[in-house]
Amino acid sequence: MRPEDSDLLLAAVTAPGREREVTRDDILRHFNTTDGRGLGLRLLREAALERDPVGLEAAVVVCNLFGFGAEHLELLIDLTSAGWHEQHENVVSMLSKLRDPGGVVALRCAATWVPSYLDWDENRALAVKAIWGLGGIAGAEAEQALLGLLEDEDEIVREEAEVQLRRRRA
Protein backbone atom coordinates (compact mmCIF):
# COMPACT_ATOMS: atom_id res chain seq x y z
CA MET A 1 0.00 0.00 0.00
CA ARG A 2 1.26 3.41 -0.88
CA PRO A 3 1.89 5.78 2.04
CA GLU A 4 -0.69 8.26 0.71
CA ASP A 5 -3.31 5.47 0.69
CA SER A 6 -2.63 4.39 4.27
CA ASP A 7 -2.45 8.00 5.48
CA LEU A 8 -5.87 8.70 3.98
CA LEU A 9 -7.41 5.56 5.46
CA LEU A 10 -5.93 6.03 8.91
CA ALA A 11 -7.28 9.61 8.92
CA ALA A 12 -10.75 8.07 8.75
CA VAL A 13 -10.38 6.72 12.28
CA THR A 14 -12.30 8.64 14.90
CA ALA A 15 -11.26 9.13 18.49
CA PRO A 16 -12.81 10.98 21.42
CA GLY A 17 -12.43 14.70 20.85
CA ARG A 18 -11.36 14.23 17.24
CA GLU A 19 -13.64 14.46 14.27
CA ARG A 20 -13.26 12.19 11.28
CA GLU A 21 -11.00 13.90 8.80
CA VAL A 22 -11.87 11.61 5.90
CA THR A 23 -15.34 10.44 4.91
CA ARG A 24 -16.46 7.17 3.37
CA ASP A 25 -17.08 9.05 0.11
CA ASP A 26 -13.52 10.41 0.20
CA ILE A 27 -12.20 6.85 0.44
CA LEU A 28 -14.36 5.54 -2.39
CA ARG A 29 -13.31 8.45 -4.59
CA HIS A 30 -9.63 8.00 -3.74
CA PHE A 31 -9.71 4.33 -4.70
CA ASN A 32 -12.03 4.95 -7.67
CA THR A 33 -14.68 2.48 -6.57
CA THR A 34 -18.27 2.37 -5.38
CA ASP A 35 -17.80 -0.93 -3.50
CA GLY A 36 -16.33 -0.22 -0.08
CA ARG A 37 -16.84 -3.77 1.14
CA GLY A 38 -15.01 -5.16 -1.87
CA LEU A 39 -12.28 -2.57 -1.36
CA GLY A 40 -11.80 -3.76 2.22
CA LEU A 41 -11.47 -7.37 1.07
CA ARG A 42 -9.00 -6.40 -1.65
CA LEU A 43 -6.89 -4.38 0.80
CA LEU A 44 -6.91 -7.22 3.34
CA ARG A 45 -5.70 -9.63 0.66
CA GLU A 46 -2.97 -7.26 -0.48
CA ALA A 47 -1.76 -6.62 3.07
CA ALA A 48 -1.65 -10.35 3.81
CA LEU A 49 0.16 -11.15 0.58
CA GLU A 50 2.72 -8.39 1.14
CA ARG A 51 2.87 -8.95 4.93
CA ASP A 52 2.28 -5.24 5.29
CA PRO A 53 1.36 -4.29 8.89
CA VAL A 54 0.44 -0.69 8.03
CA GLY A 55 -1.60 -1.87 5.06
CA LEU A 56 -3.43 -4.33 7.29
CA GLU A 57 -4.25 -1.64 9.82
CA ALA A 58 -5.63 0.51 7.01
CA ALA A 59 -7.58 -2.42 5.53
CA VAL A 60 -9.17 -3.09 8.93
CA VAL A 61 -10.34 0.54 8.99
CA VAL A 62 -11.96 0.10 5.58
CA CYS A 63 -13.63 -3.17 6.59
CA ASN A 64 -15.03 -1.61 9.74
CA LEU A 65 -16.30 1.42 7.83
CA PHE A 66 -17.92 -0.47 4.95
CA GLY A 67 -18.66 -3.86 6.45
CA PHE A 68 -17.40 -7.37 5.96
CA GLY A 69 -18.95 -10.79 5.61
CA ALA A 70 -18.49 -14.45 4.80
CA GLU A 71 -16.20 -13.61 1.90
CA HIS A 72 -13.70 -12.27 4.48
CA LEU A 73 -13.80 -15.38 6.69
CA GLU A 74 -10.88 -17.38 5.31
CA LEU A 75 -8.59 -14.37 5.26
CA LEU A 76 -9.54 -13.36 8.81
CA ILE A 77 -8.87 -16.91 10.00
CA ASP A 78 -5.39 -16.80 8.46
CA LEU A 79 -4.69 -13.36 9.93
CA THR A 80 -5.69 -14.46 13.42
CA SER A 81 -2.46 -16.38 13.91
CA ALA A 82 -0.13 -14.50 11.55
CA GLY A 83 2.90 -13.26 13.46
CA TRP A 84 3.88 -10.39 11.14
CA HIS A 85 1.28 -7.85 12.32
CA GLU A 86 -0.16 -6.31 15.48
CA GLN A 87 -3.84 -6.24 14.53
CA HIS A 88 -4.83 -9.49 16.25
CA GLU A 89 -7.42 -7.91 18.53
CA ASN A 90 -9.09 -6.17 15.58
CA VAL A 91 -8.97 -9.31 13.44
CA VAL A 92 -10.44 -11.42 16.26
CA SER A 93 -13.18 -8.84 16.80
CA MET A 94 -14.06 -8.95 13.11
CA LEU A 95 -14.00 -12.75 13.06
CA SER A 96 -16.22 -12.80 16.15
CA LYS A 97 -18.79 -10.51 14.55
CA LEU A 98 -19.21 -13.00 11.71
CA ARG A 99 -20.37 -15.66 14.18
CA ASP A 100 -19.37 -18.32 11.68
CA PRO A 101 -18.60 -21.84 12.97
CA GLY A 102 -15.69 -21.87 10.53
CA GLY A 103 -13.89 -19.44 12.86
CA VAL A 104 -14.03 -21.63 15.97
CA VAL A 105 -10.55 -23.15 15.66
CA ALA A 106 -8.93 -19.76 15.01
CA LEU A 107 -10.75 -18.15 17.94
CA ARG A 108 -9.83 -21.07 20.22
CA CYS A 109 -6.16 -20.61 19.30
CA ALA A 110 -6.35 -16.84 19.81
CA ALA A 111 -7.79 -17.43 23.28
CA THR A 112 -4.59 -19.14 24.41
CA TRP A 113 -1.89 -17.42 22.33
CA VAL A 114 -0.10 -14.33 23.58
CA PRO A 115 1.80 -12.58 20.77
CA SER A 116 5.08 -11.13 22.06
CA TYR A 117 3.88 -7.55 21.54
CA LEU A 118 1.01 -8.27 23.99
CA ASP A 119 3.18 -9.76 26.76
CA TRP A 120 2.45 -6.69 28.88
CA ASP A 121 -1.34 -7.18 28.80
CA GLU A 122 -2.25 -8.76 32.12
CA ASN A 123 -5.95 -8.39 31.26
CA ARG A 124 -5.56 -10.69 28.24
CA ALA A 125 -7.75 -8.55 25.95
CA LEU A 126 -7.03 -10.74 22.93
CA ALA A 127 -8.06 -13.87 24.81
CA VAL A 128 -11.21 -12.23 26.18
CA LYS A 129 -12.27 -11.06 22.72
CA ALA A 130 -11.67 -14.52 21.29
CA ILE A 131 -13.63 -16.20 24.08
CA TRP A 132 -16.53 -13.80 23.67
CA GLY A 133 -16.39 -14.58 19.97
CA LEU A 134 -16.66 -18.29 20.73
CA GLY A 135 -19.57 -17.55 23.04
CA GLY A 136 -21.44 -15.93 20.16
CA ILE A 137 -21.11 -18.87 17.79
CA ALA A 138 -23.89 -21.44 17.92
CA GLY A 139 -23.17 -25.13 17.89
CA ALA A 140 -21.35 -27.95 19.58
CA GLU A 141 -17.90 -27.08 18.22
CA ALA A 142 -17.88 -23.66 19.90
CA GLU A 143 -19.29 -25.21 23.08
CA GLN A 144 -16.49 -27.80 23.10
CA ALA A 145 -13.88 -25.09 22.56
CA LEU A 146 -15.20 -23.18 25.56
CA LEU A 147 -15.28 -26.34 27.67
CA GLY A 148 -11.67 -26.99 26.75
CA LEU A 149 -10.70 -23.51 27.88
CA LEU A 150 -11.96 -24.31 31.38
CA GLU A 151 -8.75 -26.34 31.75
CA ASP A 152 -6.40 -23.53 30.67
CA GLU A 153 -3.62 -22.50 33.04
CA ASP A 154 -4.60 -18.83 32.80
CA GLU A 155 -7.24 -17.77 35.32
CA ILE A 156 -8.68 -15.06 33.05
CA VAL A 157 -9.15 -17.57 30.22
CA ARG A 158 -10.89 -20.04 32.54
CA GLU A 159 -13.15 -17.37 34.05
CA GLU A 160 -14.15 -15.88 30.70
CA ALA A 161 -14.89 -19.34 29.30
CA GLU A 162 -17.09 -20.03 32.31
CA VAL A 163 -18.94 -16.72 31.80
CA GLN A 164 -19.60 -17.58 28.16
CA LEU A 165 -20.76 -21.09 28.94
CA ARG A 166 -23.21 -19.72 31.55
CA ARG A 167 -24.43 -17.09 29.10
CA ARG A 168 -25.00 -19.72 26.40
CA ARG A 169 -27.03 -21.85 28.80
CA ALA A 170 -29.16 -19.00 30.15
Side-chain angles (χ1 to χ4, degrees):
M1 176 174 291
R2 300 175 313 166
E4 57 268 26
D5 296 338
S6 59
D7 289 348
L8 175 92
L9 295 173
L10 296 176
V13 176
T14 59
R18 179 178 145 215
E19 289 187 34
R20 180 172 290 151
E21 298 171 26
V22 173
T23 68
R24 292 165 43 112
D25 287 339
D26 293 334
I27 293 168
L28 294 174
R29 235 183 337 274
H30 178 82
F31 286 94
N32 195 31
T33 185
T34 57
D35 180 11
R37 189 165 159 154
L39 174 63
L41 182 59
R42 187 188 89 198
L43 295 176
L44 277 178
R45 283 188 180 132
E46 289 174 5
L49 183 65
E50 297 169 10
R51 294 178 158 227
D52 175 7
V54 174
L56 179 60
E57 183 179 6
V60 165
V61 169
V62 173
C63 290
N64 283 313
L65 280 172
F66 292 100
F68 50 91
E71 66 275 19
H72 294 74
L73 179 67
E74 185 178 327
L75 195 49
L76 291 172
I77 288 169
D78 291 343
L79 289 167
T80 300
S81 60
W84 55 266
H85 67 84
E86 295 184 358
Q87 290 297 309
H88 296 94
E89 288 184 48
N90 288 325
V91 169
V92 162
S93 291
M94 292 168 67
L95 187 57
S96 296
K97 288 177 184 174
L98 293 178
R99 296 179 177 235
D100 191 299
V104 168
V105 172
L107 291 171
R108 169 69 170 83
C109 290
T112 58
W113 178 49
V114 181
S116 59
Y117 74 93
L118 290 177
D119 275 342
W120 61 271
D121 183 10
E122 295 176 3
N123 295 317
R124 299 290 312 276
L126 176 61
V128 171
K129 287 177 182 179
I131 294 165
W132 276 78
L134 287 168
I137 297 173
E141 189 178 5
E143 180 96 7
Q144 287 302 311
L146 289 167
L147 288 168
L149 292 173
L150 294 176
E151 305 300 320
D152 194 84
E153 63 185 40
D154 188 287
E155 182 179 358
I156 292 172
V157 170
R158 290 191 312 268
E159 288 175 357
E160 290 298 326
E162 179 67 35
V163 166
Q164 288 306 307
L165 286 164
R166 279 196 313 268
R167 189 182 64 75
R168 288 168 70 93
R169 294 173 181 157

Short mmCIF file of all heavy atoms in Angstrom, two decimals, residues 43-89:
data_model
loop_
_atom_site.label_atom_id
_atom_site.label_comp_id
_atom_site.label_asym_id
_atom_site.label_seq_id
_atom_site.Cartn_x
_atom_site.Cartn_y
_atom_site.Cartn_z
N LEU A 43 -7.99 -4.92 0.00
CA LEU A 43 -6.89 -4.38 0.80
C LEU A 43 -6.40 -5.38 1.84
O LEU A 43 -5.19 -5.47 2.11
CB LEU A 43 -7.29 -3.06 1.45
CG LEU A 43 -7.57 -1.91 0.48
CD1 LEU A 43 -8.07 -0.68 1.24
CD2 LEU A 43 -6.35 -1.58 -0.36
N LEU A 44 -7.31 -6.16 2.42
CA LEU A 44 -6.91 -7.22 3.34
C LEU A 44 -6.03 -8.24 2.63
O LEU A 44 -4.99 -8.66 3.15
CB LEU A 44 -8.12 -7.94 3.92
CG LEU A 44 -8.84 -7.36 5.12
CD1 LEU A 44 -10.04 -8.22 5.49
CD2 LEU A 44 -7.91 -7.19 6.30
N ARG A 45 -6.47 -8.65 1.44
CA ARG A 45 -5.70 -9.63 0.66
C ARG A 45 -4.31 -9.10 0.33
O ARG A 45 -3.31 -9.81 0.46
CB ARG A 45 -6.44 -9.98 -0.63
CG ARG A 45 -7.57 -10.92 -0.43
CD ARG A 45 -8.14 -11.37 -1.78
NE ARG A 45 -9.24 -12.28 -1.56
CZ ARG A 45 -10.41 -12.18 -2.15
NH1 ARG A 45 -10.65 -11.23 -3.03
NH2 ARG A 45 -11.36 -13.06 -1.89
N GLU A 46 -4.26 -7.86 -0.12
CA GLU A 46 -2.97 -7.26 -0.48
C GLU A 46 -2.05 -7.18 0.73
O GLU A 46 -0.86 -7.50 0.64
CB GLU A 46 -3.17 -5.87 -1.09
CG GLU A 46 -3.78 -5.89 -2.47
CD GLU A 46 -4.12 -4.50 -3.00
OE1 GLU A 46 -3.80 -3.48 -2.33
OE2 GLU A 46 -4.73 -4.44 -4.09
N ALA A 47 -2.58 -6.74 1.86
CA ALA A 47 -1.76 -6.62 3.07
C ALA A 47 -1.23 -7.99 3.50
O ALA A 47 -0.06 -8.12 3.88
CB ALA A 47 -2.58 -5.99 4.20
N ALA A 48 -2.08 -9.00 3.43
CA ALA A 48 -1.65 -10.35 3.81
C ALA A 48 -0.59 -10.87 2.85
O ALA A 48 0.43 -11.44 3.29
CB ALA A 48 -2.85 -11.29 3.84
N LEU A 49 -0.79 -10.68 1.59
CA LEU A 49 0.16 -11.15 0.58
C LEU A 49 1.52 -10.46 0.74
O LEU A 49 2.57 -11.10 0.65
CB LEU A 49 -0.41 -10.89 -0.82
CG LEU A 49 0.44 -11.38 -1.99
CD1 LEU A 49 0.52 -12.90 -1.97
CD2 LEU A 49 -0.17 -10.91 -3.30
N GLU A 50 1.49 -9.17 1.01
CA GLU A 50 2.72 -8.39 1.14
C GLU A 50 3.26 -8.38 2.57
O GLU A 50 4.32 -7.81 2.82
CB GLU A 50 2.46 -6.96 0.67
CG GLU A 50 2.09 -6.88 -0.80
CD GLU A 50 1.57 -5.51 -1.21
OE1 GLU A 50 1.67 -4.55 -0.42
OE2 GLU A 50 1.05 -5.40 -2.34
N ARG A 51 2.51 -8.98 3.50
CA ARG A 51 2.87 -8.95 4.93
C ARG A 51 3.15 -7.51 5.36
O ARG A 51 4.19 -7.20 5.93
CB ARG A 51 4.05 -9.86 5.21
CG ARG A 51 3.72 -11.30 5.00
CD ARG A 51 4.90 -12.20 5.25
NE ARG A 51 4.40 -13.55 5.53
CZ ARG A 51 4.81 -14.30 6.52
NH1 ARG A 51 5.76 -13.89 7.33
NH2 ARG A 51 4.29 -15.49 6.71
N ASP A 52 2.17 -6.68 5.08
CA ASP A 52 2.28 -5.24 5.29
C ASP A 52 1.46 -4.84 6.52
O ASP A 52 0.23 -4.70 6.43
CB ASP A 52 1.77 -4.52 4.04
CG ASP A 52 1.72 -3.02 4.17
OD1 ASP A 52 2.21 -2.47 5.18
OD2 ASP A 52 1.19 -2.37 3.24
N PRO A 53 2.10 -4.63 7.67
CA PRO A 53 1.36 -4.29 8.89
C PRO A 53 0.57 -2.99 8.79
O PRO A 53 -0.55 -2.91 9.29
CB PRO A 53 2.44 -4.18 9.97
CG PRO A 53 3.66 -4.79 9.40
CD PRO A 53 3.54 -4.74 7.91
N VAL A 54 1.14 -1.97 8.17
CA VAL A 54 0.44 -0.69 8.03
C VAL A 54 -0.75 -0.87 7.07
O VAL A 54 -1.84 -0.36 7.32
CB VAL A 54 1.39 0.43 7.55
CG1 VAL A 54 0.62 1.71 7.28
CG2 VAL A 54 2.48 0.67 8.59
N GLY A 55 -0.52 -1.60 6.00
CA GLY A 55 -1.60 -1.87 5.06
C GLY A 55 -2.73 -2.64 5.71
O GLY A 55 -3.91 -2.39 5.43
N LEU A 56 -2.39 -3.57 6.59
CA LEU A 56 -3.43 -4.33 7.29
C LEU A 56 -4.22 -3.43 8.22
O LEU A 56 -5.46 -3.50 8.25
CB LEU A 56 -2.82 -5.50 8.07
CG LEU A 56 -3.84 -6.32 8.85
CD1 LEU A 56 -4.88 -6.94 7.92
CD2 LEU A 56 -3.14 -7.40 9.66
N GLU A 57 -3.54 -2.57 8.94
CA GLU A 57 -4.25 -1.64 9.82
C GLU A 57 -5.23 -0.78 9.01
O GLU A 57 -6.38 -0.58 9.41
CB GLU A 57 -3.25 -0.76 10.57
CG GLU A 57 -3.90 0.19 11.55
CD GLU A 57 -2.90 1.04 12.31
OE1 GLU A 57 -1.68 0.99 12.02
OE2 GLU A 57 -3.35 1.78 13.21
N ALA A 58 -4.78 -0.31 7.88
CA ALA A 58 -5.63 0.51 7.01
C ALA A 58 -6.79 -0.31 6.45
O ALA A 58 -7.93 0.17 6.38
CB ALA A 58 -4.80 1.12 5.90
N ALA A 59 -6.53 -1.54 6.06
CA ALA A 59 -7.58 -2.42 5.53
C ALA A 59 -8.64 -2.70 6.59
O ALA A 59 -9.84 -2.75 6.29
CB ALA A 59 -6.97 -3.73 5.03
N VAL A 60 -8.22 -2.86 7.83
CA VAL A 60 -9.17 -3.09 8.93
C VAL A 60 -10.09 -1.87 9.08
O VAL A 60 -11.29 -2.01 9.30
CB VAL A 60 -8.41 -3.41 10.24
CG1 VAL A 60 -9.32 -3.29 11.45
CG2 VAL A 60 -7.78 -4.80 10.17
N VAL A 61 -9.52 -0.68 8.93
CA VAL A 61 -10.34 0.54 8.99
C VAL A 61 -11.41 0.49 7.91
O VAL A 61 -12.59 0.74 8.17
CB VAL A 61 -9.45 1.81 8.85
CG1 VAL A 61 -10.31 3.05 8.64
CG2 VAL A 61 -8.55 1.96 10.06
N VAL A 62 -11.01 0.15 6.70
CA VAL A 62 -11.96 0.10 5.58
C VAL A 62 -13.05 -0.94 5.85
O VAL A 62 -14.24 -0.68 5.65
CB VAL A 62 -11.23 -0.20 4.24
CG1 VAL A 62 -12.23 -0.42 3.11
CG2 VAL A 62 -10.29 0.95 3.90
N CYS A 63 -12.65 -2.11 6.31
CA CYS A 63 -13.63 -3.17 6.59
C CYS A 63 -14.61 -2.74 7.67
O CYS A 63 -15.81 -3.02 7.57
CB CYS A 63 -12.92 -4.45 7.01
SG CYS A 63 -12.03 -5.26 5.67
N ASN A 64 -14.13 -2.06 8.68
CA ASN A 64 -15.03 -1.61 9.74
C ASN A 64 -15.93 -0.46 9.30
O ASN A 64 -17.04 -0.32 9.80
CB ASN A 64 -14.24 -1.27 11.00
CG ASN A 64 -13.81 -2.52 11.75
OD1 ASN A 64 -14.61 -3.43 11.96
ND2 ASN A 64 -12.56 -2.58 12.12
N LEU A 65 -15.47 0.33 8.35
CA LEU A 65 -16.30 1.42 7.83
C LEU A 65 -17.38 0.92 6.87
O LEU A 65 -18.50 1.41 6.87
CB LEU A 65 -15.44 2.45 7.10
CG LEU A 65 -14.69 3.46 7.94
CD1 LEU A 65 -13.75 4.28 7.07
CD2 LEU A 65 -15.66 4.38 8.68
N PHE A 66 -17.03 -0.04 6.02
CA PHE A 66 -17.92 -0.47 4.95
C PHE A 66 -18.56 -1.84 5.16
O PHE A 66 -19.43 -2.23 4.41
CB PHE A 66 -17.17 -0.46 3.61
CG PHE A 66 -16.80 0.92 3.15
CD1 PHE A 66 -15.52 1.39 3.34
CD2 PHE A 66 -17.73 1.74 2.53
CE1 PHE A 66 -15.15 2.67 2.91
CE2 PHE A 66 -17.38 3.01 2.11
CZ PHE A 66 -16.09 3.49 2.30
N GLY A 67 -18.09 -2.55 6.17
CA GLY A 67 -18.66 -3.86 6.45
C GLY A 67 -17.82 -4.99 5.88
O GLY A 67 -16.94 -4.79 5.03
N PHE A 68 -18.11 -6.17 6.38
CA PHE A 68 -17.40 -7.37 5.96
C PHE A 68 -18.34 -8.54 6.18
O PHE A 68 -19.32 -8.44 6.92
CB PHE A 68 -16.08 -7.54 6.72
CG PHE A 68 -16.22 -7.41 8.22
CD1 PHE A 68 -16.46 -8.52 9.01
CD2 PHE A 68 -16.13 -6.17 8.83
CE1 PHE A 68 -16.60 -8.40 10.38
CE2 PHE A 68 -16.27 -6.03 10.20
CZ PHE A 68 -16.51 -7.15 10.98
N GLY A 69 -18.05 -9.64 5.52
CA GLY A 69 -18.95 -10.79 5.61
C GLY A 69 -18.24 -12.10 5.37
O GLY A 69 -17.02 -12.20 5.50
N ALA A 70 -19.00 -13.09 4.97
CA ALA A 70 -18.49 -14.45 4.80
C ALA A 70 -17.32 -14.50 3.83
O ALA A 70 -16.42 -15.34 3.98
CB ALA A 70 -19.62 -15.37 4.33
N GLU A 71 -17.30 -13.61 2.86
CA GLU A 71 -16.20 -13.61 1.90
C GLU A 71 -14.87 -13.22 2.55
O GLU A 71 -13.80 -13.47 2.00
CB GLU A 71 -16.51 -12.69 0.71
CG GLU A 71 -16.60 -11.21 1.04
CD GLU A 71 -17.96 -10.73 1.54
OE1 GLU A 71 -18.78 -11.55 2.00
OE2 GLU A 71 -18.19 -9.51 1.48
N HIS A 72 -14.90 -12.65 3.74
CA HIS A 72 -13.70 -12.27 4.48
C HIS A 72 -13.22 -13.38 5.42
O HIS A 72 -12.12 -13.30 5.95
CB HIS A 72 -13.98 -11.02 5.31
CG HIS A 72 -14.26 -9.79 4.52
ND1 HIS A 72 -15.45 -9.58 3.86
CD2 HIS A 72 -13.51 -8.69 4.28
CE1 HIS A 72 -15.41 -8.40 3.26
NE2 HIS A 72 -14.25 -7.85 3.49
N LEU A 73 -14.05 -14.38 5.65
CA LEU A 73 -13.80 -15.38 6.69
C LEU A 73 -12.44 -16.04 6.58
O LEU A 73 -11.67 -16.05 7.55
CB LEU A 73 -14.92 -16.43 6.68
CG LEU A 73 -14.76 -17.56 7.71
CD1 LEU A 73 -14.91 -17.02 9.12
CD2 LEU A 73 -15.78 -18.65 7.43
N GLU A 74 -12.13 -16.62 5.45
CA GLU A 74 -10.88 -17.38 5.31
C GLU A 74 -9.66 -16.49 5.58
O GLU A 74 -8.72 -16.90 6.26
CB GLU A 74 -10.80 -17.98 3.91
CG GLU A 74 -9.59 -18.88 3.71
CD GLU A 74 -9.57 -19.50 2.33
OE1 GLU A 74 -10.64 -19.79 1.76
OE2 GLU A 74 -8.46 -19.69 1.81
N LEU A 75 -9.70 -15.30 5.07
CA LEU A 75 -8.59 -14.37 5.26
C LEU A 75 -8.45 -13.97 6.73
O LEU A 75 -7.35 -13.94 7.29
CB LEU A 75 -8.81 -13.14 4.39
CG LEU A 75 -7.66 -12.21 4.15
CD1 LEU A 75 -6.40 -12.94 3.72
CD2 LEU A 75 -8.04 -11.20 3.09
N LEU A 76 -9.58 -13.71 7.39
CA LEU A 76 -9.54 -13.36 8.81
C LEU A 76 -9.00 -14.52 9.64
O LEU A 76 -8.23 -14.31 10.59
CB LEU A 76 -10.93 -12.94 9.30
CG LEU A 76 -11.44 -11.62 8.74
CD1 LEU A 76 -12.90 -11.40 9.13
CD2 LEU A 76 -10.57 -10.45 9.20
N ILE A 77 -9.39 -15.74 9.29
CA ILE A 77 -8.87 -16.91 10.00
C ILE A 77 -7.35 -16.96 9.88
O ILE A 77 -6.64 -17.16 10.86
CB ILE A 77 -9.53 -18.20 9.47
CG1 ILE A 77 -10.99 -18.26 9.93
CG2 ILE A 77 -8.76 -19.44 9.92
CD1 ILE A 77 -11.81 -19.35 9.25
N ASP A 78 -6.84 -16.78 8.68
CA ASP A 78 -5.39 -16.80 8.46
C ASP A 78 -4.69 -15.68 9.24
O ASP A 78 -3.62 -15.88 9.82
CB ASP A 78 -5.06 -16.66 6.97
CG ASP A 78 -5.46 -17.89 6.16
OD1 ASP A 78 -5.69 -18.97 6.75
OD2 ASP A 78 -5.55 -17.75 4.93
N LEU A 79 -5.30 -14.50 9.25
CA LEU A 79 -4.69 -13.36 9.93
C LEU A 79 -4.69 -13.48 11.44
O LEU A 79 -3.87 -12.87 12.13
CB LEU A 79 -5.40 -12.07 9.51
CG LEU A 79 -5.16 -11.62 8.08
CD1 LEU A 79 -6.15 -10.53 7.69
CD2 LEU A 79 -3.72 -11.14 7.90
N THR A 80 -5.58 -14.30 11.97
CA THR A 80 -5.69 -14.46 13.42
C THR A 80 -4.39 -14.95 14.04
O THR A 80 -4.01 -14.53 15.13
CB THR A 80 -6.85 -15.42 13.77
OG1 THR A 80 -8.06 -14.87 13.26
CG2 THR A 80 -7.00 -15.59 15.27
N SER A 81 -3.68 -15.81 13.34
CA SER A 81 -2.46 -16.38 13.91
C SER A 81 -1.18 -15.91 13.20
O SER A 81 -0.09 -16.38 13.53
CB SER A 81 -2.53 -17.91 13.86
OG SER A 81 -2.66 -18.34 12.52
N ALA A 82 -1.31 -14.99 12.27
CA ALA A 82 -0.13 -14.50 11.55
C ALA A 82 0.74 -13.65 12.48
O ALA A 82 0.24 -12.74 13.14
CB ALA A 82 -0.55 -13.69 10.33
N GLY A 83 2.01 -13.95 12.53
CA GLY A 83 2.90 -13.26 13.46
C GLY A 83 3.51 -11.97 12.95
O GLY A 83 4.25 -11.30 13.67
N TRP A 84 3.22 -11.55 11.74
CA TRP A 84 3.88 -10.39 11.14
C TRP A 84 3.16 -9.06 11.40
O TRP A 84 3.64 -8.00 10.98
CB TRP A 84 4.04 -10.59 9.63
CG TRP A 84 2.77 -10.89 8.90
CD1 TRP A 84 2.28 -12.14 8.60
CD2 TRP A 84 1.81 -9.96 8.40
NE1 TRP A 84 1.08 -12.02 7.95
CE2 TRP A 84 0.77 -10.70 7.80
CE3 TRP A 84 1.74 -8.57 8.38
CZ2 TRP A 84 -0.33 -10.10 7.21
CZ3 TRP A 84 0.63 -7.97 7.80
CH2 TRP A 84 -0.38 -8.73 7.22
N HIS A 85 2.03 -9.10 12.08
CA HIS A 85 1.28 -7.85 12.32
C HIS A 85 0.89 -7.72 13.78
O HIS A 85 1.13 -8.62 14.57
CB HIS A 85 0.04 -7.79 11.41
CG HIS A 85 -1.00 -8.82 11.75
ND1 HIS A 85 -1.94 -8.64 12.73
CD2 HIS A 85 -1.24 -10.04 11.23
CE1 HIS A 85 -2.73 -9.70 12.79
NE2 HIS A 85 -2.32 -10.58 11.90
N GLU A 86 0.29 -6.58 14.12
CA GLU A 86 -0.16 -6.31 15.48
C GLU A 86 -1.64 -5.92 15.51
O GLU A 86 -2.07 -5.11 16.33
CB GLU A 86 0.71 -5.23 16.13
CG GLU A 86 2.15 -5.67 16.30
CD GLU A 86 3.02 -4.67 17.02
OE1 GLU A 86 2.53 -3.57 17.38
OE2 GLU A 86 4.22 -4.99 17.22
N GLN A 87 -2.41 -6.53 14.63
CA GLN A 87 -3.84 -6.24 14.53
C GLN A 87 -4.69 -7.41 15.04
O GLN A 87 -5.86 -7.52 14.68
CB GLN A 87 -4.20 -5.92 13.08
CG GLN A 87 -3.66 -4.61 12.59
CD GLN A 87 -4.23 -3.44 13.36
OE1 GLN A 87 -5.44 -3.31 13.51
NE2 GLN A 87 -3.36 -2.59 13.87
N HIS A 88 -4.13 -8.28 15.85
CA HIS A 88 -4.83 -9.49 16.25
C HIS A 88 -6.15 -9.21 16.96
O HIS A 88 -7.14 -9.89 16.71
CB HIS A 88 -3.91 -10.37 17.10
CG HIS A 88 -2.74 -10.86 16.32
ND1 HIS A 88 -1.53 -10.19 16.34
CD2 HIS A 88 -2.59 -11.89 15.45
CE1 HIS A 88 -0.69 -10.81 15.54
NE2 HIS A 88 -1.31 -11.83 14.98
N GLU A 89 -6.17 -8.21 17.84
CA GLU A 89 -7.42 -7.91 18.53
C GLU A 89 -8.50 -7.46 17.54
O GLU A 89 -9.66 -7.87 17.65
CB GLU A 89 -7.20 -6.84 19.61
CG GLU A 89 -6.43 -7.37 20.80
CD GLU A 89 -6.30 -6.34 21.89
OE1 GLU A 89 -7.31 -5.70 22.25
OE2 GLU A 89 -5.17 -6.17 22.39
#
